[in-house]
Amino acid sequence: MKIRFIALVFVLHLVICSAGCLSPAPASPLPQATLPSPVPTSGNADATIQAGSMALQLTDVPPDYLLRDRTVTAYSEISQLDRDLDWQQGYRVTFFRMNREKDDMTGIRQTISIYPPENIGKVYDIETEGILSGRNGTVRYEIPFPEIGDQSMAFRETRVTDPQGLAIYTVIFKKKNVFETITMGGTTTDYELLKEVVHKAADKIT
């Protein structure tokens, strides 16, 4: 029981730490995947609200989830590559559900970043390349997912050393000049719930 709970804590930590990184990980073999074709952005190319106003709220996730963290992203936290791409502002929020008696721990994290419209395509391409390059000790598969925003992709990841086979789902998308990563991982990951949450997140970008 104790070992399993420690494993759940580790998976939740991965959910919290895995999103929003522009530094590609070491390459490892992955199944071939076809990326969706870019969809032209209609209307104003800039989001009209601040990053914090695009963040998911407790009402956007099931009632048994709790707010773990909600914060603006500091400039000192971002990478040099983000700065070179003229990163403007960011925000992140994390929710989790935990039940020790049932060995249940699941987390949802949203990371929002805003760039100039002319750079958002580069951001998406770099993030996509980093995801598909893989990470040592993990197996990743691109999975079918409804089209989100102007361009999007989703994948499922498991760690080869995890005896429980716990999954982490990640969706990335760009809409206007906003790039988002939404991650779900733990014992009770739910593909259908993830679709609902991601759609809510995309609808907040106006």
Side-chain angles (χ1 to χ4, degrees), residues 57-171:
Q57 306 295 318
L58 270 174
T59 52
D60 296 319
V61 297
D64 52 348
Y65 277 81
L66 301 173
L67 176 65
R68 182 187 183 278
D69 182 56
R70 182 189 301 276
T71 182
V72 65
T73 304
Y75 186 78
S76 58
E77 294 180 271
I78 67 171
S79 68
Q80 184 59 51
L81 182 54
D82 279 309
R83 298 173 186 179
D84 293 342
L85 290 166
D86 297 327
W87 178 92
Q88 296 175 341
Q89 58 175 293
Y91 205 87
R92 62 179 182 267
V93 59
T94 305
F95 306 95
F96 79 101
R97 176 181 61 201
M98 183 171 63
N99 187 317
R100 286 179 176 268
E101 294 181 358
K102 296 182 179 180
D103 276 350
D104 179 20
M105 180 179 291
T106 303
I108 298 174
R109 190 190 200 207
Q110 176 192 31
T111 302
I112 304 167
S113 297
I114 299 178
Y115 298 84
E118 63 270 19
N119 289 344
I120 195 67
K122 297 176 185 177
V123 172
Y124 182 87
D125 290 344
I126 292 170
E127 287 282 359
T128 299
E129 181 181 353
I131 287 171
L132 294 180
S133 69
R135 182 168 56 192
N136 290 337
T138 65
V139 179
R140 290 177 173 177
Y141 298 95
E142 185 179 353
I143 57 175
F145 203 82
E147 187 175 281
I148 304 295
D150 301 324
Q151 196 172 5
S152 62
M153 72 173 295
F155 69 94
R156 182 177 62 246
E157 172 184 323
T158 57
R159 295 185 62 83
V160 295
T161 57
D162 179 13
Q164 306 297 330
L166 301 179
I168 298 175
Y169 289 83
T170 299
V171 179

Side-chain angles (χ1 to χ4, degrees), residues 56 62 107-109 143 145-146 148 154-155 168-171 182-185 189-201:
L56 292 165
I108 298 174
R109 190 190 200 207
I143 57 175
F145 203 82
I148 304 295
F155 69 94
I168 298 175
Y169 289 83
T170 299
V171 179
I182 297 180
T183 307
M184 172 187 281
T189 49
D190 186 334
Y191 174 82
E192 299 302 327
L193 171 61
L194 181 60
K195 288 196 295 185
E196 294 178 10
V197 170
V198 173
H199 274 292
K200 290 177 181 179

